[in-house]
């Protein structure tokens, strides 16, 4: 007979079905009981890693300039976890190693994006401590995950991930997540500077927004949750998120889940990289900024970048052909990915006759929706939700965020383009663009590689590539 703590509220098959239909962030409760990974405190990881150095990003705590603190603006040190722990305890001198020049009263530290497969390549048994297989992803564990260790105040700038969806396990301490739906992208002022493949950053400091400059952010619908140890947060595709540590030490593990639609995103990312590198690698008076994120290995030549564009186009065409074939194969109906694009109503459970029945996500004590709200509902008991400042309560029904009707049409212009109503006044002051304003290369890029523009370019390229493929195929017959 199974031990009580090993009984999970959802089976792997049930969890897969839930993830397939979730259209908003949600917190899974009581799904990680018995996971060895819950022992991965900073102290435990220090013992496991020993003298192996880990790279930490450091930022000032008093930064309230109303601009995001991007990774290009941070300091970096290579240190052992025992140095990090001594530093968090207020020790000084040789005990803290490279942290000695950064008083903990003034700085936060973050070891982010650490691939577990590389950290513990000589201890592969640790991969089994993370059991994503219990969420229905057979064979997925710590090998396909990343580790995050930080101090209070450590944060990731607001961004969206171009690929996949995200599962996040909180191990130690608490982290507060500020999430915004994809439909609010125009209100987040997207930018690709600094450039990082698969990350689209927001120009807005979501905690201290400059509403004179980013007036449309007032319409962004924040969904805020503080994730507790043992809980797992699901972040759907293309949801914006700003993440901050709120306890002295935090540890979390995440895994990005690949989706079928990623083949199109890879084309978009290849196009974006080609355009950004072409313009930013060209010497000019205003190309003196640190535009390449430290996570990127290098720029690459234009020839290399164009090769990636062509490879992505060919791979996308092949994936589309495979998907079309699978749709005509009755035996493949149950092999579709765990998550689809969030638009439209999804129906399942055909009974063989008539219309299929709608699947209802089983929100309750074991699955908590993260939604924009003013008051806690009974089903949010056990999860620390924060009432967001920017909240359109009327758009919430049953814990599910409605898509913003005003943004259903594609907006090819950025949110700070001419909006006579909004730009006329903000906080009682006129907001006007001086006639003599000089646009920079980054300003140009914000328009050229705006997600809406790149989406159109990607479609044109895919259509052209498909047409060329059909012509070549016909001529060879």
């Amino acid at each position: 007979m199974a031990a009580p703590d090993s009984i999970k509220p959802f089976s792997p098959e049930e969890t897969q079905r839930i993830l397939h239909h979730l259209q908003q962030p949600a917190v899974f409760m009581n799904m990680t009981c018995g996971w060895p990974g819950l022992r991965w405190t900073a102290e435990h990881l220090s013992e496991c890693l020993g003298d192996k150095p880990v790279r930490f990003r450091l930022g000032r705590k008093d930064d309230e300039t109303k601009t995001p603190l991007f990774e290009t603006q941070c300091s970096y040190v290579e240190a052992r976890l025992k140095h990090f722990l001594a530093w968090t305890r207020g020790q000084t001198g040789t005990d803290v190693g490279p942290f000695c020049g950064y008083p903990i009263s003034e700085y936060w530290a973050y070891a982010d994006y650490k691939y577990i497969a590389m950290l513990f390549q000589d201890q592969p048994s640790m991969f089994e401590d993370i059991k994503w297989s219990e969420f229905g992803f057979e064979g997925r564990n710590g090998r396909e995950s990343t580790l995050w260790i930080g101090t209070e105040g450590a944060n990731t700038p607001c961004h969206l991930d171009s690929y996949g969806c995200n599962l996040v396990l909180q191990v130690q301490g608490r982290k507060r997540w500020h999430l915004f739906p994809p439909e609010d992208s125009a209100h987040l002022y997207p930018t690709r500077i600094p450039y990082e493949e698969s990350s689209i950053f927001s120009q807005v400091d979501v905690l201290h927004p400059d509403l004179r400059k980013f007036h449309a952010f007032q319409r962004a619908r924040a969904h805020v949750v503080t994730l507790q140890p043992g809980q797992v947060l699901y972040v759907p595709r293309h949801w914006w998120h700003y993440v901050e540590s709120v306890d002295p030490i935090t540890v979390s593990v995440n895994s990005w889940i690949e989706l079928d639609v990623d083949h199109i995103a890879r084309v978009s990312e290849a196009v974006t990289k080609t355009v950004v590198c072409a313009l930013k690698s060209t010497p000019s008076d205003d190309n003196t900024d640190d535009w390449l994120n430290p996570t990127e290995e290098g720029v690459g030549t234009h020839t290399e970048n164009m090769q990636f564009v062509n490879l992505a186009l060919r791979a996308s065409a092949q994936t589309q052909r495979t998907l079309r074939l699978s749709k005509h194969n009755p035996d493949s109906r149950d092999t579709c990915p765990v998550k689809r694009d969030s638009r439209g109503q999804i129906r399942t459970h055909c009974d063989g006759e008539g219309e299929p029945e709608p699947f209802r996500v089983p929100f309750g004590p074991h699955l908590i929706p993260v939604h924009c709200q003013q008051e806690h509902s009974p089903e949010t008991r056990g999860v620390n939700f924060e009432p967001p400042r920017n909240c359109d309560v009327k758009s919430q029904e049953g814990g599910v965020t409605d898509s913003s009707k005003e943004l259903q049409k594609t907006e090819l212009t950025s949110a700070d383009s001419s909006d006579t109503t909004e730009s006329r006044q903000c906080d009682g002051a006129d907001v006007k663009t001086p006639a003599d304003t000089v646009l920079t290369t980054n300003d140009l890029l914000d328009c050229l590689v705006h997600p809406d523009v790149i989406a159109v370019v990607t479609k044109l390229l895919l259509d052209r590539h498909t047409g060329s493929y059909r012509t070549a195929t016909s001529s060879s017959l």
Side-chain angles (χ1 to χ4, degrees):
M1 184 175 179
D5 64 350
S6 66
I7 299 175
K8 304 296 167 44
F10 307 113
S11 69
E13 295 75 20
E14 290 170 332
T15 307
Q16 281 282 291
R17 180 171 291 173
I18 291 169
L19 293 175
H20 182 84
H21 294 88
L22 269 176
Q23 300 182 40
Q24 67 179 107
V27 177
F28 285 87
M29 313 284 286
N30 311 312
M31 283 290 290
T32 61
C33 301
W35 283 27
L38 293 181
R39 300 195 304 261
W40 284 21
T41 62
E43 291 80 4
H44 176 74
L45 293 170
S46 178
E47 294 174 3
C48 295
L49 290 172
D51 293 337
K52 179 175 288 188
V54 177
R55 193 186 195 202
F56 286 85
R57 176 165 59 95
L58 296 106
R60 284 192 171 274
K61 293 182 177 180
D62 60 353
D63 189 301
E64 293 188 6
T65 58
K66 293 191 176 183
T67 58
L69 183 63
F70 292 120
E71 294 168 56
T72 51
Q73 301 164 307
C74 293
S75 301
Y76 292 84
V77 299
E78 298 270 346
R80 303 170 187 171
L81 276 185
K82 68 178 182 180
H83 292 147
F84 168 76
L85 290 171
W87 183 65
T88 62
R89 299 184 189 113
Q91 297 175 228
T92 57
T94 57
D95 291 338
V96 301
F99 288 103
C100 62
Y102 302 90
I104 194 169
S105 59
E106 300 177 20
Y107 288 87
W108 51 256
Y110 209 7
D112 49 3
Y113 297 100
K114 305 308 175 192
Y115 290 97
I116 292 174
M118 297 180 64
L119 271 182
F120 300 109
Q121 56 186 343
D122 54 346
Q123 302 176 64
S125 61
M126 292 194 67
F127 301 158
E128 302 300 326
D129 289 0
I130 308 298
K131 300 182 178 297
W132 298 121
S133 57
E134 295 188 6
F135 279 75
F137 301 100
E138 186 176 355
R140 184 179 290 264
N141 55 30
R143 186 189 299 272
E144 296 84 18
S145 306
T146 51
L147 180 67
W148 309 69
I149 307 172
T151 63
E152 182 179 0
N155 64 82
T156 303
C158 186
H159 68 285
L160 69 79
D161 300 313
S162 302
Y163 306 136
C165 55
N166 198 357
L167 285 173
V168 186
L169 166 67
Q170 193 62 29
V171 176
Q172 180 180 4
R174 297 168 299 157
K175 273 187 173 177
R176 185 171 294 123
W177 287 71
H178 303 250
L179 301 116
F180 303 86
E183 295 81 9
D184 283 2
S185 289
H187 304 152
L188 272 295
Y189 298 82
T191 183
R192 297 312 298 261
I193 302 297
Y195 173 77
E196 175 184 275
E197 183 183 353
S198 82
S199 293
I200 303 176
F201 291 102
S202 168
Q203 299 179 57
V204 184
D205 179 347
V206 298
L207 296 188
H208 311 97
D210 183 349
L211 296 180
R212 293 175 61 86
K213 184 176 182 181
F214 304 116
H215 50 271
F217 180 70
Q218 296 176 93
R219 293 191 293 171
R221 295 165 293 172
H223 297 56
V224 185
V225 59
T226 301
L227 201 63
Q228 313 277 344
Q231 298 173 352
V232 172
L233 173 66
Y234 170 68
V235 182
R237 178 176 182 260
H238 287 182
W239 272 71
W240 294 85
H241 47 283
Y242 168 86
V243 190
E244 58 174 340
S245 297
V246 295
D247 280 328
I249 296 179
T250 62
V251 177
S252 55
V253 175
N254 86 294
S255 189
W256 286 285
I257 310 298
E258 60 279 356
L259 304 174
D260 275 350
V261 289
D262 287 348
H263 70 91
I264 297 176
R266 290 188 185 95
V267 176
S268 297
E269 287 299 292
V271 171
T272 298
K273 183 175 184 179
T274 301
V275 175
V276 172
C277 290
L279 287 184
K280 293 301 291 183
S281 298
T282 302
S284 67
D285 293 340
D286 67 348
N287 270 345
T288 58
D289 56 333
D290 293 326
W291 61 274
L292 192 65
N293 228 36
T295 52
E296 292 298 303
E297 294 182 355
V299 176
T301 65
H302 182 68
T303 299
E304 292 172 337
N305 290 335
M306 284 303 300
Q307 288 175 344
F308 283 118
V309 171
N310 282 282
L311 286 171
L313 283 168
R314 286 196 288 271
S316 180
Q318 180 60 46
T319 300
Q320 286 179 317
R321 287 194 293 273
T322 302
L323 290 175
R324 282 196 297 269
L325 289 173
S326 67
K327 287 180 180 179
H328 295 290
N329 180 6
D331 296 330
S332 67
R333 286 181 299 177
D334 295 330
T335 61
C336 58
V338 299
K339 179 71 173 59
R340 284 281 195 252
D341 191 86
S342 62
R343 295 181 182 276
Q345 185 176 16
I346 307 172
R347 294 177 177 269
T348 57
H349 301 318
C350 275
D351 58 5
E353 295 182 3
E355 289 293 322
E357 298 178 3
F359 175 82
R360 297 187 182 279
V361 177
F363 290 125
H366 302 299
L367 181 65
I368 313 297
V370 181
H371 52 181
C372 188
Q373 59 178 15
Q374 294 291 355
E375 296 180 357
H376 294 190
S377 63
E379 65 184 3
T380 64
R381 195 175 297 117
V383 179
N384 185 6
F385 287 96
E386 306 289 338
R389 289 172 295 182
N390 303 313
C391 181
D392 180 8
V393 181
K394 294 181 180 179
S395 68
Q396 306 304 316
E397 294 183 4
V400 178
T401 301
D402 295 335
S403 299
S404 176
K405 294 181 180 179
E406 65 182 294
L407 292 175
Q408 288 180 351
K409 296 186 293 182
T410 302
E411 295 181 2
L412 294 181
T413 56
S414 60
D416 56 344
S417 60
S418 57
D419 185 329
T420 56
T421 302
E422 280 193 318
S423 62
R424 189 177 301 128
Q425 190 173 27
C426 180
D427 292 341
D430 290 336
V431 180
K432 299 179 180 179
T433 302
D436 58 349
T437 296
V438 177
L439 295 177
T440 65
T441 301
N442 291 353
D443 293 328
L444 177 61
L445 280 171
D446 283 342
C447 296
L448 289 177
V449 294
H450 187 282
D452 291 339
V453 175
I454 289 295
V456 173
V457 174
T458 298
K459 185 180 185 306
L460 290 172
L461 287 173
L462 288 170
D463 290 346
R464 173 173 295 200
H465 185 271
T466 302
S468 299
Y469 170 79
R470 289 173 178 168
T471 301
T473 303
S474 301
S475 62
S476 64
L477 296 178

